[in-house]
């Protein structure tokens, strides 16, 4: 009888201990009434587990989500925004909202760009696979590369201010604005000959080199000096980098190593370039 009573007391004790050590809701492991580790979608606070807010699948606090439910994101870690509809399966990064993958035919951070502007209509997540189509240029940011439209009437361009080849019936022209050099296209009455027409004085053909419009061919009676065409004359030194007046005085700078009004005097031996009036005053040393 005593033995049976002892067994009953022992079972009651074990049952009581089990009840007392059962963890609270949301708690994975505990010590007595103190939770040590919470379940997913709960966070630990003062020894107990509290549920994350509705759109969170995990969190460090009520306003600090570490992952969101599918289709949600929040820049302030609250998962309060929906992912863009252009995201494949409406899946996006929980902290930025950037699409993890785009629907077919789209690219960009929010899959907001159409692949029809890409060469061959081919694109990957953040850029055109083989660059942009004719009439567009690639504009690179820290996170993506997008195709933007070339200047008006421009067939090929480097960027928004530098056209390389104009459409038919247009030719290149260059102008300065706010310290920037622009190369755009303007209408031309020469028809198919517009592509070789140049607005640089005394130049028969020009093209873009290093984003600048330069002369590449001169008419008869003119010589190309690397920048433009100068009239052939015995009074103008070939060491003059621009034009001469009727007296042979150079109206611009002299070539490296030469000085004087007519660029006919050599700089001193130590100078690579020198003062226009003094051969012994170096502007750049050898």
């Amino acid at each position: 009888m005593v033995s049976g009573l002892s067994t009953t007391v022992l079972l009651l004790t074990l049952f009581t201990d089990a009840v007392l050590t059962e963890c609270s809701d949301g708690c994975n492991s505990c010590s007595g009434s103190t939770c040590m580790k919470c379940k997913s979608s709960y966070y630990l606070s003062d020894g107990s587990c509290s549920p994350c807010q509705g759109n969170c699948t995990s969190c460090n606090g009520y306003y600090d989500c570490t992952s969101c439910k599918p289709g949600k994101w929040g820049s302030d870690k609250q998962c309060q925004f929906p992912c863009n509809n252009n995201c494949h399966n409406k899946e996006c990064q929980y902290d930025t909202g950037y699409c993890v993958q785009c629907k077919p035919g789209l690219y960009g951070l929010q899959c907001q760009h159409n692949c029809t502007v890409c060469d061959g209509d081919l694109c990957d997540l953040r850029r055109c696979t083989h660059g942009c189509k004719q009439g567009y240029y690639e504009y690179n940011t820290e996170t993506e590369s997008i195709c933007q439209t070339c200047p008006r009437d421009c067939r090929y361009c480097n960027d928004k201010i530098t056209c390389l080849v104009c459409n038919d019936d247009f030719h290149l022209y260059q102008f300065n604005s706010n310290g920037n050099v622009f190369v755009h296209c303007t209408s031309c009455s020469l028809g198919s000959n517009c592509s070789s027409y140049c607005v640089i004085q005394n130049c028969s053909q020009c093209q873009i080199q290093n984003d600048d419009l330069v002369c590449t061919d001169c008419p008869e009676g003119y010589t190309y000096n690397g920048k433009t065409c100068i009239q052939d004359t015995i009074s103008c030194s070939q060491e003059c980098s621009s034009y001469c007046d009727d007296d042979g005085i150079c109206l611009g700078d002299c070539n490296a190593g030469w000085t004087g009004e007519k660029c006919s005097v050599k700089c001193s031996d130590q100078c690579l370039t020198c003062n226009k009036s003094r051969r012994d005053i170096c502007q750049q040393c050898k």
Side-chain angles (χ1 to χ4, degrees):
M1 183 68 179
V2 175
S3 176
L5 180 60
S6 299
T7 301
T8 302
V9 171
L10 178 61
L11 290 174
L12 286 172
T13 301
L14 292 174
F15 176 76
T16 302
D17 290 342
V19 171
L20 291 176
T21 57
E22 183 178 351
C23 295
S24 59
D25 291 341
C27 183
N28 255 342
S29 63
C30 56
S31 175
S33 61
T34 302
C35 186
M36 308 300 292
K37 183 178 180 181
C38 296
K39 295 179 181 178
S40 178
S41 75
Y42 286 80
Y43 65 94
L44 188 63
S45 177
D46 296 328
S48 62
C49 295
S50 300
C52 300
Q53 63 167 302
N55 291 326
C56 298
T57 54
S58 63
C59 64
N60 291 325
Y62 190 77
Y63 296 107
D64 189 10
C65 296
T66 55
S67 63
C68 300
K69 287 184 177 179
K72 295 289 184 178
W73 75 281
S75 59
D76 52 0
K77 300 182 180 180
Q78 294 186 50
C79 300
Q80 72 271 42
F81 302 122
C83 295
N84 194 297
N85 286 330
N86 290 335
C87 298
H88 182 67
N89 292 332
K90 291 196 69 174
E91 186 180 1
C92 64
Q93 298 174 8
Y94 86 94
D95 54 343
T96 63
Y98 297 163
C99 295
V100 176
Q101 188 177 351
C102 294
K103 289 181 178 179
L106 300 172
Y107 75 98
L109 298 177
Q110 298 286 347
C111 301
Q112 72 274 35
H113 305 299
N114 201 303
C115 297
T116 55
V117 299
C118 302
D119 189 19
D121 295 342
L122 299 174
C123 62
D124 52 32
L125 181 61
R126 298 288 182 256
R127 66 188 307 134
C128 291
T129 309
H130 301 299
C132 305
K133 280 185 175 177
Q134 177 178 306
Y136 294 85
Y137 67 93
E138 275 192 319
Y139 178 75
N140 298 309
T141 69
E142 292 182 359
T143 51
E144 63 181 350
S145 177
I146 59 179
C147 292
Q148 295 192 331
T149 308
C150 287
R152 187 167 175 256
D153 301 313
C154 179
R155 185 176 302 167
Y156 299 103
C157 64
N158 276 352
D159 49 47
K160 67 179 180 179
I161 65 174
T162 308
C163 183
L164 299 176
V165 179
C166 295
N167 290 329
D168 293 339
D169 300 329
F170 292 86
H171 71 83
L172 296 171
Y173 78 101
Q174 180 174 301
F175 64 95
N176 296 289
S177 178
N178 296 325
N180 293 318
V181 178
F182 292 80
V183 182
H184 282 204
C185 299
T186 188
S187 59
C188 175
S189 60
L190 299 178
S192 60
N193 292 326
C194 277
S195 60
S196 61
Y197 178 73
C198 187
V199 292
I200 297 178
Q201 186 178 12
N202 299 324
C203 182
S204 59
Q205 191 165 352
C206 56
Q207 62 181 224
I208 301 299
Q209 294 180 358
N210 297 322
D211 294 341
D212 194 24
L213 185 66
V214 297
C215 181
T216 56
D217 192 28
C218 301
E220 186 176 352
Y222 289 81
T223 301
Y224 180 56
N225 70 348
K227 294 182 179 179
T228 186
C229 298
I230 58 174
Q231 189 173 10
D232 293 337
T233 171
I234 58 173
S235 63
C236 189
S237 169
Q238 291 300 308
E239 301 303 335
C240 176
S241 63
S242 58
Y243 300 95
C244 293
D245 62 16
D246 293 338
D247 296 323
I249 295 175
C250 183
L251 301 179
D253 294 327
C254 299
N255 292 333
W258 293 85
T259 188
E261 286 186 334
K262 297 183 179 181
C263 300
S264 56
V265 179
K266 282 190 174 184
C267 296
S268 66
D269 293 340
Q270 291 80 24
C271 299
L272 183 63
T273 59
C274 61
N275 184 276
K276 189 71 179 290
S277 302
R278 293 279 302 275
R279 64 180 297 272
D280 58 337
I281 299 178
C282 293
Q283 293 178 324
Q284 187 177 4
C285 297
K286 289 182 178 179

